[in-house]
Amino acid sequence: MENEKINIVIVDDHPIVIEGLKMMLKSQPSFNIPETFISGSEIISFISNNKVDIILLDITLPDANGTELCREIKKISPETSVIMFSNRSERSIIMQSIQNGASGYLLKNTSIEELVICIKGALSGDIVFCNETKQIISRPSQNDFLIPRLTKREKQILHLVAQGKTSNTIAEELFLSPLTVDTHRKNLLQKFQVKNSTELINQALEYNLIEK
């Protein structure tokens, strides 16, 4: 790509972050910023019709969880390198992002020099991390927790549980038997490694699977 512009798209719900990144990246002659977006739906629509080399993707967006969105992006555009760019420093989220196809994970205090190096590394096929992220993933914890993959039905029930609805109410809304709902609730507790609905909701909130 020596003679071609590298198309970089920024996805972040904070305009000040977008503007700061644009200013930094435009200092590199080989970098082009064709678009920026604040939502997941916008980037999905854009990559379906446009060539993008790098996406700098925030974890927390108004309509999507970044780790899940990364997986969707890679399905639509496998050749696009997705670099997560976030304030979230939990090791579990970093590792989940990589599992979902991200080419790297950078924290928002990353320097422009480090950012440029990581972008070029991702374009070369490397998995890239800023120095602080490298330190985080080099310290495995017994409490590490990978965000579980949920079925569509489990996601529906999780959101309804978070609204404080009982199994009977959920069963009526989803046209299921209360026993089936209870089974899904037990599966959710097992997947999140928690003992009750309160802990389940707290875990789901922490990993941006439901809204406050």
Side-chain angles (χ1 to χ4, degrees):
M1 283 189 186
E2 288 186 10
N3 299 318
E4 292 182 24
K5 289 280 189 178
I6 298 165
N7 286 327
I8 303 172
V9 170
I10 304 164
V11 186
D12 195 293
D13 63 342
H14 291 91
I16 193 168
V17 173
I18 290 176
E19 290 305 313
L21 280 171
K22 283 171 65 177
M23 286 182 61
M24 290 190 294
L25 294 173
K26 283 182 177 179
S27 67
Q28 301 295 312
S30 61
F31 290 174
N32 178 50
I33 318 294
E35 287 287 352
T36 63
F37 301 107
I38 62 170
S39 73
S41 58
E42 289 175 315
I43 184 59
I44 289 296
S45 176
F46 186 78
I47 62 171
S48 299
N49 301 291
N50 297 274
K51 179 182 179 293
V52 178
D53 301 303
I54 294 281
I55 295 175
L56 294 176
L57 177 63
D58 193 9
I59 291 287
T60 306
L61 297 169
D63 64 342
N65 173 281
T67 56
E68 296 299 319
L69 183 60
C70 175
R71 183 162 51 191
E72 292 303 310
I73 290 170
K74 295 299 289 186
K75 286 179 183 177
I76 297 168
S77 182
E79 70 279 4
T80 299
S81 296
V82 180
I83 300 176
M84 310 307 293
F85 192 72
S86 176
N87 285 323
R88 300 294 297 271
S89 59
E90 297 94 327
R91 185 179 186 275
S92 55
I93 293 180
I94 297 169
M95 302 310 295
Q96 186 71 37
S97 298
I98 302 305
Q99 282 191 342
N100 284 2
S103 295
Y105 198 106
L106 309 180
L107 298 181
K108 287 185 176 178
N109 59 2
T110 300
S111 67
I112 179 59
E113 293 81 11
E114 201 168 25
L115 176 59
V116 171
I117 290 170
C118 287
I119 287 174
K120 292 180 177 178
L123 287 170
S124 298
D126 298 334
I127 303 295
V128 297
F129 302 102
C130 63
N131 287 331
E132 190 172 340
T133 307
K134 288 177 183 176
Q135 292 175 7
I136 293 168
I137 63 176
S138 69
R139 298 193 299 266
S141 167
Q142 291 182 344
N143 295 322
D144 282 342
F145 174 74
L146 290 179
I147 302 172
R149 293 189 177 183
L150 305 180
T151 65
K152 183 178 180 180
R153 182 66 78 191
E154 286 171 343
K155 289 178 181 177
Q156 288 177 318
I157 290 174
L158 176 60
H159 280 81
L160 294 172
V161 169
Q163 293 171 21
K165 296 184 177 179
T166 65
S167 291
N168 286 337
T169 302
I170 294 171
E172 290 178 8
E173 287 194 27
L174 299 181
F175 303 102
L176 300 172
S177 72
L179 180 60
T180 299
V181 173
D182 282 336
T183 299
H184 282 302
R185 293 182 71 145
K186 288 177 183 176
N187 289 340
L188 285 166
L189 295 179
Q190 290 177 349
K191 285 189 174 185
F192 281 89
Q193 302 172 23
V194 294
K195 298 176 182 177
N196 53 51
S197 295
T198 300
E199 292 181 6
L200 173 65
I201 293 167
N202 288 337
Q203 281 275 26
L205 282 169
E206 180 179 350
Y207 292 100
N208 296 313
L209 297 177
I210 56 176
E211 296 182 358
K212 293 183 180 179

